[in-house]
Amino acid sequence: MKTSKNSSIALVTIFMSLWCHSGNAQGDALSYQAYLSSSLTLWERKIDQTAPASYERAMAQYGLLNATMAGKDEKAFDKYYEPTLDLLDQLIGEKVNVASCQAVKSSVYGLAMAYDSWKGMFLGPKSSGLIEEAYESEPNNPLVVKLYASSKLYTPEMFGGDPKTALKEFERAVQLFEEAEDVTSNWLYMDALAHLGIAYGKVGQPEKAVEVYTKALALEPDFNWIKYSLKPSAEKTLASK
């Protein structure tokens, strides 16, 4: 059977499209597994698969920085801290996902303050300013809303923290993720669910926290942070009421 030139081009285009989608799916799956396991090795593998000056690289490096908190690996954090900030600044300067990059940069500062509370004196205002600007710019961006909620949850109330606002915004972030994106293998969505449960616990609603954790485990039974830590803790609090 003869194939026209146009038909051949169309077939090649379809093949390339499928190949690209497959690659993206694998990348998402790798980030997802890296998050679930808090594996720095998997995060570094994801970093190595990304273009050096890309938003995807910035998010992979951010995922690694976040994962260092599980084992308090300050050496790994320090290795990627400045390069991540530099890349985010570059992307912001190039007008690439500006609000998301601002929100992530704010969160990176928050992680730095978690390692060294003294840095809060000069990083705190920078972090707050960035997340406020990002939220004002894109108040319906699920990543921005999630990180805005995190800021309100973990910032001391005397410096602008507000658990009730955090809870409302985590609820909205989860809804926005579910409405705007395929949440399959989306580590940011799963992280939003985990922190929504934490926020419920912080405002004295352990029963709602258990509901959220049950939902998360129905989606991902191997979410060990929730399975072995967050959910049992919420259930213990609920049983004591």
Side-chain angles (χ1 to χ4, degrees):
M1 180 178 68
K2 292 184 178 180
T3 303
S4 69
K5 182 178 179 180
N6 288 341
S7 297
S8 297
I9 293 173
L11 287 171
V12 171
T13 301
I14 291 170
F15 172 78
M16 291 301 295
S17 176
L18 290 171
W19 183 86
C20 290
H21 282 297
S22 174
N24 288 338
Q26 291 173 359
D28 290 342
L30 181 55
S31 295
Y32 186 67
Q33 289 303 319
Y35 169 74
L36 290 179
S37 60
S38 297
S39 171
L40 303 187
T41 300
L42 290 181
W43 276 120
E44 288 191 317
R45 188 181 303 170
K46 172 63 179 177
I47 290 167
D48 290 341
Q49 291 181 0
T50 61
S54 65
Y55 176 71
E56 186 181 11
R57 168 70 65 93
M59 291 305 297
Q61 292 182 181
Y62 171 59
L64 185 145
L65 292 174
N66 184 66
T68 67
M69 299 300 296
K72 298 299 180 184
D73 191 336
E74 193 166 2
K75 183 178 179 180
F77 182 85
D78 289 343
K79 176 181 177 181
Y80 283 94
Y81 176 63
E82 290 292 348
T84 302
L85 293 177
D86 290 343
L87 177 51
L88 289 168
D89 284 338
Q90 179 181 339
L91 293 170
I92 291 169
E94 294 171 354
K95 308 299 182 185
V96 177
N97 297 334
V98 173
S100 293
C101 288
Q102 288 174 323
V104 170
K105 186 177 178 182
S106 169
S107 184
V108 170
Y109 283 147
L111 294 173
M113 288 184 282
Y115 275 110
D116 184 354
S117 60
W118 287 103
K119 291 181 178 179
M121 297 177 63
F122 58 94
L123 290 184
K126 290 183 179 181
S127 179
S128 297
L130 281 165
I131 194 60
E132 292 289 345
E133 186 175 349
Y135 185 82
E136 183 177 342
S137 174
E138 295 188 14
N140 293 313
N141 177 325
L143 173 59
V144 170
V145 175
K146 173 194 176 300
L147 295 180
Y148 178 80
S150 292
S151 176
K152 291 298 181 183
L153 183 65
Y154 291 111
T155 299
E157 293 188 37
M158 70 176 65
F159 297 118
D162 185 345
K164 291 182 178 178
T165 297
L167 173 58
K168 181 184 72 173
E169 294 299 332
F170 273 124
E171 289 177 330
R172 208 162 67 83
V174 167
Q175 182 179 357
L176 287 167
F177 273 120
E178 292 173 345
E179 290 176 350
E181 303 179 20
D182 179 4
V183 295
T184 304
S185 296
N186 187 327
W187 74 272
L188 293 165
Y189 170 67
M190 297 305 292
D191 196 60
L193 285 176
H195 283 90
L196 173 58
I198 293 171
Y200 274 125
K202 198 160 186 177
V203 300
Q205 298 184 48
E207 67 285 351
K208 297 291 288 184
V210 171
E211 287 180 16
V212 172
Y213 296 146
T214 300
K215 173 182 177 178
L217 290 174
L219 295 169
E220 179 47 71
D222 293 328
F223 197 168
N224 290 342
W225 182 29
I226 287 180
K227 186 175 183 179
Y228 296 115
S229 180
L230 297 180
K231 189 168 185 272
S233 178
E235 288 173 334
K236 183 177 180 180
T237 301
L238 185 58
S240 67
K241 289 185 72 174

